[in-house]
């Protein structure tokens, strides 16, 4: 029997695929090729299905991670013996806890119905935060919740499904966090570009800065709602003031155009009057009889009276135009001040009236530049309300907001006019203390603490004592303000650990 060449075997294999109406997959081709050649070959290694299985294998504990690495190496090397050892290792991991925890009661091998329902609800409530990007995690969640809601779900199966879902969920959560951070960075880039391109347009710059403040972490729904209401008010006021400014400027242009027209008319009247006088003078020079002069003199007197009357009317109208122009100029100046005031509001926290993060950045840059120019000290203090969560839980969010406003009001009353207060985020505040050394700044913070103990905060007829922990840092030469704030933040945490209601110098 003649030996067939590989090309002949390949042609016959393709014919058999068509005759038997088989899909031209690698497995079908390999099987028919072995049949035609008369030399049955080894089965193809199922690398793709095995890698799909590898994606859902648990890998949280050190032992599971080690077995997962061995599994990947065995698939890459197409080593069935190594793959068998890995599967045995996974089986031992699953059997060890069962053998050790063998309970006499059969009920312990099944999840309690109420506990299983709580787990299913937890999975259902987790999914909306993940979006629809990862279809696989939604499929696993549906499989898990369906299993948990069946009668008496086994503990071992529930543990396996939960491990697989948690492993997949960790990747989905990381993706969502990265997407959120990327979107915030893109928003900041857009807002920064708007502000940079609108340096001469204060109302637009104010809006861009307010949006930057809104997109600055930490983000909470309550904070976003406050900023949204504030931003809507700023936009409305700025739009209204801008429309009035444009209208006033248009009226100003009309007044100036009328003024120029009146001047031109006055010039034309004066020219015509002079021409008429020159004509009369020439005719007077040519007259030889007295009776010839009478009509010429009457003509001169009539022209003079008309010129005088026209001059008085024009002078009165120009005076009126000047008064109206001055009034419009004053109105435009007032509208400009209103625009600047509305833009300045975008630099303040809507709840407490103190500076927001954007306002703080601008203020601290100014104070650092001034301190280095004058060679004077500058301190920053970071304050954090003690037990603010307990205040919120007991008095509600409205009471918590009122407590923050109370702290801001007392701080403005007690501290010096040049000291600037800014809300740093949540219940944290920053105080800028110009011309103040670190020892003086510490004493100023302690004085503020004493004042808070004498000025109780009242909420629903309940007297609430508000305290804070603070860290104080002096901005060193050539040090960035962010580094000084970081040192103050670290000192504040030391004050918290020392027992709260304390001040610690960095």
């Amino acid at each position: 029997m003649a030996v067939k060449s590989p090309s002949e075997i390949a042609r016959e294999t393709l014919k058999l695929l068509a005759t038997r109406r088989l899909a031209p997959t690698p497995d079908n081709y390999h099987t028919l090729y072995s049949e035609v050649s008369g030399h049955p070959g080894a089965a193809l290694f199922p690398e793709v299905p095995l890698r799909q299985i590898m994606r859902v294998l648990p890998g949280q504990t050190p032992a599971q991670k080690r077995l997962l690495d061995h599994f990947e190496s065995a698939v890459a090397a197409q080593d069935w013996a190594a793959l068998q050892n890995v599967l045995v290792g996974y089986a031992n991991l699953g059997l060890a806890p069962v053998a050790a925890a063998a309970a006499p009661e059969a009920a312990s091998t099944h999840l309690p119905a109420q506990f299983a329902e709580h787990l299913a609800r937890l999975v259902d409530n987790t999914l909306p935060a993940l979006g629809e990007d990862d279809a696989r995690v939604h499929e696993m969640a549906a499989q898990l919740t369906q299993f948990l809601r069946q009668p008496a779900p086994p503990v071992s199966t529930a543990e396996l499904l939960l491990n697989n879902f948690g492993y997949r969920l960790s990747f989905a959560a990381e993706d969502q966090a990265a997407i959120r951070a990327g979107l915030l960075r893109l928003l900041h880039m857009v807002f920064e570009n708007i502000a940079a391109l609108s340096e001469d347009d204060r109302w637009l710059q104010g809006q861009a800065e307010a949006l930057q403040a809104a997109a600055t972490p930490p983000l909470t729904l309550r904070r976003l709602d406050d900023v949204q209401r504030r931003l809507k008010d700023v936009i409305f006021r700025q739009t209204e003031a801008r429309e009035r400014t444009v209208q006033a400027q248009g009226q100003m242009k009309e007044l100036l155009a009328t003024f120029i027209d009146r001047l031109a008319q006055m010039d034309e009247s004066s020219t015509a009057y002079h021409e008429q006088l020159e004509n009369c003078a020439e005719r007077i020079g040519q007259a030889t009889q007295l009776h010839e002069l009478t009509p010429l003199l009457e003509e001169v007197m009539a022209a003079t009276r008309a010129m005088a009357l026209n001059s008085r009317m024009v002078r009165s109208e120009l005076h009126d135009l000047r008064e109206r122009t001055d009034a419009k100029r004053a109105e435009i100046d007032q509208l400009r001040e209103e625009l600047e005031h509305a833009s300045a509001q975008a630099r303040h926290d809507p709840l407490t009236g103190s500076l927001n993060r954007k306002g703080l950045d601008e203020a601290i840059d100014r104070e650092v530049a001034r301190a280095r120019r004058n060679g004077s000290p500058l301190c920053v203090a970071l304050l954090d309300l003690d037990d603010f969560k307990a205040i919120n839980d007991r008095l509600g969010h409205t009471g918590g907001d009122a407590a923050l406003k109370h702290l801001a009001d007392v701080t403005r009353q007690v501290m010096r006019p040049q000291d600037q207060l800014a809300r740093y985020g949540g219940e944290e505040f920053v105080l800028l203390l110009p011309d103040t050394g670190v020892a003086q700044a510490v004493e100023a913070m302690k004085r503020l603490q004493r004042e808070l103990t004498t000025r109780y905060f009242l909420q629903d007829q309940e007297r609430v004592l508000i305290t804070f922990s603070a860290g104080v840092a002096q901005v060193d030469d050539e040090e960035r303000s962010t580094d000084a704030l970081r040192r103050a933040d670290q000192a504040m945490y030391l004050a918290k650990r020392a027992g709260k209601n304390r001040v610690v110098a960095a």
Side-chain angles (χ1 to χ4, degrees):
M1 181 179 180
V3 178
K4 297 179 181 179
S5 65
S7 60
E8 293 175 341
I9 297 174
R11 281 195 297 272
E12 293 187 21
T13 302
L14 292 175
K15 290 179 181 179
L16 281 177
L17 282 173
T19 303
R20 298 180 184 181
R21 298 182 179 179
L22 297 175
T25 62
D27 291 339
N28 290 338
Y29 182 84
H30 181 268
T31 302
L32 293 180
Y33 189 93
S34 301
E35 180 182 335
V36 172
S37 64
H39 300 287
L44 291 177
F45 189 81
E47 181 177 356
V48 174
L50 287 174
R51 289 193 179 277
Q52 291 176 346
I53 294 173
M54 184 178 66
R55 293 194 189 98
V56 297
L57 286 175
Q60 285 81 17
T61 65
Q64 291 173 347
K65 292 179 180 178
R66 184 173 62 256
L67 287 173
L68 199 59
D69 292 339
H70 292 334
F71 190 99
E72 184 176 8
S73 300
V75 171
Q78 298 186 0
D79 188 345
W80 283 107
L83 192 62
Q84 178 180 345
N85 293 334
V86 173
L87 295 177
V88 171
Y90 268 109
N92 290 335
L93 286 179
L95 292 173
V98 175
E105 299 181 5
S108 63
T109 61
H110 299 280
L111 287 176
Q114 188 175 6
F115 181 68
E117 179 60 26
H118 288 327
L119 286 177
R121 289 181 182 176
L122 178 63
V123 174
D124 290 338
N125 294 333
T126 302
L127 292 180
L130 300 178
E132 302 293 335
D133 298 334
D134 193 339
R136 178 58 182 158
V137 76
H138 285 272
E139 293 174 3
M140 296 177 70
Q143 179 185 6
L144 178 58
T145 54
Q146 182 180 4
F147 169 78
L148 291 173
R149 288 189 170 117
Q150 70 181 11
V155 173
S156 58
T157 308
E159 183 180 2
L160 177 61
L161 291 176
L162 281 171
N163 280 338
N164 294 343
F165 177 69
Y167 185 68
R168 188 77 183 194
L169 183 63
S170 64
F171 287 105
E174 289 178 3
D175 289 343
Q176 291 299 317
I179 291 172
R180 179 172 174 270
L183 287 175
L184 285 177
R185 286 194 297 270
L186 289 175
L187 283 174
H188 272 284
M189 290 175 63
V190 172
F191 300 152
E192 287 173 1
N193 287 336
I194 292 176
L197 293 173
S198 59
E199 291 183 355
D200 298 331
D201 204 337
R202 296 297 301 275
W203 72 275
L204 183 57
Q205 190 176 26
Q207 291 183 29
E209 290 168 354
L211 290 172
Q212 281 181 280
T216 301
L219 299 178
T220 63
L221 289 177
R222 185 159 57 94
R223 180 171 173 232
L224 286 176
D225 288 341
D226 290 341
V227 175
Q228 183 180 16
R229 287 194 297 269
R230 180 72 169 192
L231 184 58
K232 285 182 178 178
D233 180 61
V234 170
I235 291 174
F236 174 76
R237 293 178 60 183
Q238 289 175 336
T239 303
E240 184 183 32
R242 185 171 179 82
E243 290 176 353
R244 289 166 56 196
T245 301
V246 172
Q247 183 181 3
Q249 289 175 345
Q251 293 174 352
M252 187 77 156
K253 292 179 181 178
E254 292 178 1
L255 290 174
L256 291 175
T258 305
F259 184 81
I260 294 172
D261 289 342
R262 292 296 180 269
L263 287 179
Q265 292 175 6
M266 188 174 180
D267 182 64
E268 290 175 1
S269 299
S270 177
T271 302
Y273 174 70
H274 286 295
E275 290 177 353
Q276 190 173 5
L277 287 183
E278 289 178 0
N279 184 31
C280 289
E282 184 178 353
R283 289 162 60 190
I284 290 172
Q286 295 174 356
T288 58
Q289 300 293 329
L290 183 60
H291 67 273
E292 296 178 356
L293 296 177
T294 301
L296 293 176
L297 290 175
E298 291 177 354
E299 184 178 347
V300 170
M301 291 176 63
T304 303
R305 282 195 299 268
M307 183 63 187
L309 179 61
N310 188 43
S311 298
R312 283 195 300 270
M313 292 175 61
V314 171
R315 183 169 60 251
S316 176
E317 189 172 357
L318 290 178
H319 179 72
D320 180 60
L321 284 172
R322 187 181 65 181
E323 290 181 349
R324 290 166 60 189
T325 302
D326 292 340
K328 288 300 176 184
R329 185 184 297 110
E331 183 180 356
I332 290 174
D333 292 339
Q334 181 182 358
L335 290 171
R336 186 179 294 111
E337 291 178 1
E338 291 180 8
L339 277 174
E340 292 178 356
H341 178 68
S343 299
Q345 288 181 337
R347 293 173 172 81
H348 288 77
D349 175 58
L351 175 65
T352 62
S354 57
L355 296 172
N356 58 17
R357 292 290 289 269
K358 178 64 177 178
L360 172 63
D361 292 340
E362 294 179 357
I364 200 170
D365 288 344
R366 287 195 303 268
E367 292 298 334
V368 168
R370 192 185 69 84
R372 289 173 179 169
R373 186 170 58 250
N374 299 335
S376 56
L378 170 65
C379 281
V380 294
L382 198 148
L383 291 64
D384 185 272
L385 262 70
D386 296 327
D387 303 317
F388 183 68
K389 185 179 182 301
I391 295 176
N392 256 340
D393 293 341
R394 189 169 81 253
L395 303 179
H397 288 303
T398 303
D401 288 347
L404 295 174
K405 291 173 64 177
H406 177 74
L407 172 63
D409 292 340
V410 173
T411 302
R412 281 190 287 265
Q413 294 170 13
V414 172
M415 305 304 291
R416 303 171 301 177
Q418 62 266 37
D419 299 331
Q420 299 185 64
L421 178 68
R423 189 176 179 188
Y424 198 58
E427 64 272 21
E428 290 184 336
F429 291 84
V430 170
L431 259 173
L432 300 182
L433 304 166
D435 303 317
T436 306
V438 65
Q440 295 173 311
V442 170
E443 288 302 318
M445 291 300 97
K446 291 180 178 179
R447 183 172 65 253
L448 177 58
Q449 286 179 329
R450 290 193 296 270
E451 289 293 333
L452 276 174
T453 59
T454 62
R455 306 185 189 199
Y456 283 93
F457 163 59
L458 292 177
Q459 180 70 15
D460 297 332
Q461 304 304 317
E462 179 182 355
R463 298 174 65 183
V464 181
L465 176 63
I466 295 178
T467 64
F468 66 83
S469 302
V472 178
Q474 182 171 337
V475 183
D476 297 331
D477 294 338
E478 306 302 327
E479 182 185 27
R480 296 183 301 177
S481 58
T482 53
D483 294 333
L485 284 172
R486 179 180 52 79
R487 291 193 293 113
D489 184 61
Q490 293 172 349
M492 182 271 292
Y493 276 106
L494 292 177
K496 290 279 189 185
R497 294 179 60 184
K500 302 180 182 178
N501 196 22
R502 299 173 186 270
V503 181
V504 174

